[in-house]
Amino acid sequence: MEDAFRSLSDQELGELEIIETLRFDPGQGLVRCDLHLARMARSATAFGFPFDRGGALAALAEASGAGPLRLRLTLNRTGRFKLNSAVLAPDPPIWNFAIARDRLHAADPWLRHKTTRRSLYNRHRAELPPGVDEIVFCNHFGALCEGTISNIFVLRNGVLLTPDTGAGLLPGVLREQLLAQGKARPAGLTLADLASAEALFLGNSLRGLIPARLVSGPMPAPSAP
């Protein structure tokens, strides 16, 4: 277990689950599966959870459908996998996004792992105003970080840029693939880069890159749960 998580109580560890959200396409199968399972394995190591890749693949093998599916694979402290699936609605032509008033802490180790400990993101998604599809966060230094369910990408001088992990964000699977393929580069980005961008995109492994548009500045903080 990483030092940052050694203070977790038995109850907290017992309630915690690691999450991977994958896309299933009938003609293609599991999209970016290897990258998803590699990220889950890294998080399992960080929290001291057992991880059996074969068990994960067996759970995912239950997925089937005539159309695209959203798969949610979770792993708990005992190494048990659970799969939930739902029909995936068509991709929107564009995502309208706003900037959160809440700021992320760049050094927060929880940001590097996708887990059920995500109340801040859930509250923001539960209170999305009409016409807004996503909320994007900055950190306390003013650097762009991530959305509640997406990474942000800025096209500048013909180059696709995305915030560096040091800003405080989840290293998304689509983001990882684009960086490895040389189709995107990490960079320090601020709100000023949104105004000067040639194009904006929000992306995740479930939906790929979606054109995006900033429609509002800092939003009010969500109400307490």
Side-chain angles (χ1 to χ4, degrees):
M1 182 186 294
E2 288 185 6
D3 290 342
F5 304 116
R6 290 190 182 279
S7 62
L8 293 174
S9 67
D10 283 343
Q11 179 177 346
E12 289 172 321
L13 283 171
E15 295 173 349
L16 186 70
E17 292 181 318
I18 300 168
I19 304 170
E20 287 296 329
T21 306
L22 301 81
R23 181 185 182 110
F24 171 86
D25 279 324
Q28 183 179 356
L30 300 168
V31 179
R32 287 177 277 270
C33 180
D34 288 344
L35 292 176
H36 279 286
L37 295 187
R39 186 174 68 174
M40 179 172 266
R42 291 193 297 270
S43 292
T45 298
F47 292 108
F49 288 10
F51 176 81
D52 175 20
R53 178 183 170 84
L57 290 171
L60 290 167
E62 300 174 8
S64 65
L69 298 177
R70 176 188 183 273
L71 306 180
R72 185 178 189 267
L73 180 70
T74 58
L75 171 68
N76 71 6
R77 184 184 187 180
T78 68
R80 181 178 64 86
F81 294 101
K82 182 179 179 181
L83 182 70
N84 291 307
S85 64
V87 173
L88 183 63
D91 293 343
I94 190 168
W95 270 9
N96 294 322
F97 71 95
I99 302 299
R101 184 166 294 172
D102 290 304
R103 296 295 181 102
L104 302 180
H105 294 273
D108 183 355
W110 287 96
L111 296 176
R112 300 195 297 269
H113 305 280
K114 188 172 183 178
T115 71
T116 47
R117 184 166 166 168
R118 47 183 294 108
S119 59
L120 176 65
Y121 300 101
N122 291 340
R123 292 202 307 274
H124 273 281
R125 290 211 63 77
E127 299 185 12
L128 285 173
V132 176
D133 304 294
E134 174 66 301
I135 301 294
V136 170
F137 294 88
C138 295
N139 66 23
H140 287 281
F141 303 106
L144 283 171
C145 296
E146 63 180 349
T148 63
I149 57 171
S150 65
N151 289 119
I152 186 165
F153 299 83
V154 173
L155 186 65
R156 188 173 67 194
N157 298 325
V159 179
L160 196 61
L161 304 175
T162 189
D164 188 272
T165 51
L169 53 95
L170 177 72
V173 165
L174 174 68
R175 175 185 180 278
E176 180 182 356
Q177 183 183 62
L178 293 175
L179 291 175
Q181 294 173 340
K183 296 180 179 179
R185 299 178 188 172
L189 299 172
T190 67
L191 293 176
D193 292 295
L194 300 181
S196 62
E198 298 164 23
L200 301 173
F201 300 89
L202 292 168
N204 57 36
S205 187
L206 196 63
R207 296 193 176 276
L209 279 180
I210 296 176
R213 175 173 54 206
L214 176 63
V215 295
S216 177
M219 303 294 296
S223 57

